Each structure stands twice: as C-alpha cells, then as structure tokens.
Amino acid sequence: MSHHLDTPLAAQNGQLFLDDLYAFPGENSTVFVMDVNSNITGVYAEPGFHPEARYEFKVHVDGADQENLTYRFAFAGPDSAGRQNLRLEVLTGDDAREDAAEGRLVLEGRTGETVAGDGVRAWAGRIADSFYIDLSLLALVNEAVGKGTAVDLSGWQPGRAKNTFAGTTVETIVLEISHEHPVLRPGTRIGLWAATKLATDAGGWRQINRAGHPMMWPIFWPGDTDFSNPANTRHPSEDRAAAGAFIAERVTAVVAATGTSTDPEGYGQEVARQLLPDVLPYVVGSPAQYGFAARNGRTLADNAPEAMLSLVTNMGVPAGLTPATAAQARRADFPYVVPV
C-alpha cells in the first residue's frame, strides 16, 4: 500500500513511507523503481534514506504466493554533503522471505552515483517526482467511495486541472536487472511489491510500509492518518482474506449509487480479485502500461491515478492531466529519473 500524504507521523518518518512503485523495460533489462519520502509532507521531512532501515523489492514468479527473489537495499548515515553509502544484497528461494537470512552482496556504492556489476545497475538519491494528480479530483472520488454515494463530477473541470505534485521531490531507488538473469528473463510473469523495514530493539525487523498497485491507500484507506491499518505489516498472500470483502463492498456501493454497473456486487468482487493480492503484475520484456483496461507494470509516465479512479468507479474519470504534465521529471536512459 502506498500513500503520498503521509500526515504528521510520516512527516517525522517519511524515509520509511513508500510513495510509488514502478516496473518497466529498460535497455535489454527490467527496471524497478521505488519512491519514498515525498517532500509534499512539508519542511519537516527528513532528507535521505533511513540508516536503520531496509528497502526491499519483492518478486513473486509465475503467480507464487511467496516471493522468490528479494533485492535488499541498506544505507549508512549521511556524510557532510548528505551522501550515503549503500549496499545491495539479493536473496533467493526460502531466504527471500526471511528477515533473518543474509543476502549475497551484489553492489556497494553511494547515493547520487551509478553503481553497476553482476548484471545489475542501481542508482539512489533525490529526484523530481514524476507522479501527477490534482488532489481535488481525488477528494471527490474519496467522498463517494467512503460514503457509498454517487460520484459527482459536475463541478470538476478537467481543463483546469493542476498537478498538485508539481515541483515536489522524492527519494528514489532505481534497480535495473539484465534480461540475462536466470529468472527475470523475457516472458516471465512476475508480481512485484516493495517494503520498508526498520530494525527493532529486540534485534529483528518490523515491516513499516508496503506498496504494490498505485493509489490503493488514498482510495480505500484515506483516513488512516496514523498508519495503524494492519495492511502495512501484512504479507500480500494474506490480502484477499483480510481485505477482499472490504474492497468489494466499497466498490459495490459506489458503482451501485452511481449506476455504472448492472451487477454492482459482481463488479465489486471482480475489482477486489484484480487488485488483491496487492502486487504489481508485469511480464518481463513486454511493454509496460498501467491503464484502465490493462495493468502490466507501470512506467514513470503512466496516468495511474486516472486508471485507478476509473476502475474503482467503473466510469471514465478524466484527470485532466497527461504524461506531458511531468515529462521534465523523467528521461529515456538510465537512471530514467531526474536528480535534483
């Protein structure tokens, strides 16, 4: 689950809260991108990555309930210039699911610099945020989903939409994996999610936040301002049992009230089935697109908010923004993001 508007708690600990997750083809490769610590929370957001945390990409292969691969990033404290040393480890098989397991060291480097080796490239640092939405539109849909009432877009003027996230920044981790990888080869069907974990006083690790599909938290749990919802610490394999009925009921109510389905209950159940478990689906080597009709990875340009709002309400929800809105915040070559 992910959330940009991280509230006062996140403003103190924004380094641990995920904003977005992406998966798309690179240069004969697959690219994973994890964004954290948006400065939309305000001046109190702590810059950089948390030095006592882990940032993990979790990969499920061919519909597996459990992850088969984990790419684990860890960061040291910042130096006088704000740069941080980083380590990347990979864990496979049963170890990919174990916090206590030690991974194989793949890369070491520093934030703001490209690090390459062993068939992977990585870059981490502060970037311009490529996410775009007018939050006043989200508020209209939130109200309907939360109350089970009809979506009222009569006062919404797409032509006057403005990107609330214009000029904002996030910390990002970019990981590029060659198609020569023994598992992540073209044609392989994967599910991707990201997790942030914090070391505990007892010597273990606590999962703080997770991300899969975009917009899940802002749409379905916008009032969880203290991040107490157990979905934060849950494993995706538990999602359908824990949240399937809730999501189906919310979607059923809003489409019934709006009149966008002749079978609201069936539609609600189908949306819950598509969104849970909350992992981002992608076929390695294929063009990525996160849209209303198809969800296969997610590029930095995709209008994911429009796609999700339309899916949940079963109607076209024009966001009024296009990929050109944030074109200056992405690039065609590695690291695909724009440092600031």
Side-chain angles (χ1 to χ4, degrees), residues 14 47 49-50 58 62 69 75 82 88-89 98 125 167 187 202 225 237 276 307 324:
F49 299 93
H50 200 297
K58 301 281 197 175
D62 290 333
L69 285 168
F75 298 85
L88 168 62
E89 298 176 350
E98 295 294 335
T225 56
S237 61
L276 300 177

Side-chain angles (χ1 to χ4, degrees), residues 97-266:
R97 304 182 279 276
E98 295 294 335
D99 287 335
E102 293 187 10
R104 177 174 62 85
L105 180 63
V106 178
L107 294 175
E108 290 185 289
R110 300 181 72 216
T111 56
E113 301 174 0
T114 296
V115 191
D118 200 18
V120 303
R121 284 194 292 186
W123 189 95
R126 198 81 188 172
I127 63 164
D129 195 351
S130 60
F131 182 80
Y132 55 96
I133 188 176
D134 188 322
L135 286 178
S136 61
L137 172 62
L138 176 61
L140 295 174
V141 177
N142 276 157
E143 182 177 15
V145 172
K147 296 180 178 179
T149 57
V151 179
D152 182 8
L153 298 181
S154 60
W156 170 244
Q157 300 181 50
R160 302 183 67 178
K162 295 183 179 180
N163 180 19
T164 306
F165 291 85
T168 62
T169 61
V170 291
E171 305 288 349
T172 198
I173 300 172
V174 180
L175 174 63
E176 184 175 54
I177 305 165
S178 168
H179 282 168
E180 299 301 314
H181 188 278
V183 175
L184 301 180
R185 302 181 73 86
T188 302
R189 183 169 58 95
I190 66 171
L192 175 70
W193 58 290
T196 57
K197 297 181 178 182
L198 189 62
T200 67
D201 291 338
W205 295 87
R206 174 177 171 79
Q207 183 172 296
I208 302 299
N209 202 208
R210 51 182 281 228
H213 287 284
M215 300 295 292
M216 290 289 285
W217 210 275
I219 292 174
F220 294 111
W221 296 282
D224 184 44
T225 56
D226 60 356
F227 288 84
S228 60
N229 192 291
N232 284 304
T233 56
R234 196 164 59 219
H235 189 273
S237 61
E238 305 171 85
D239 281 346
R240 283 184 175 144
F246 170 80
I247 288 178
E249 289 167 1
R250 286 295 175 98
V251 174
T252 295
V254 73
V255 299
T258 311
T260 54
S261 174
T262 58
D263 180 11
E265 184 175 356

Side-chain angles (χ1 to χ4, degrees), residues 315-339:
M315 60 183 284
V317 178
L321 303 174
T322 70
T325 300
Q328 73 284 355
R330 57 184 187 270
R331 52 190 286 184
D333 57 343
F334 189 87
Y336 309 103
V337 295
V338 177

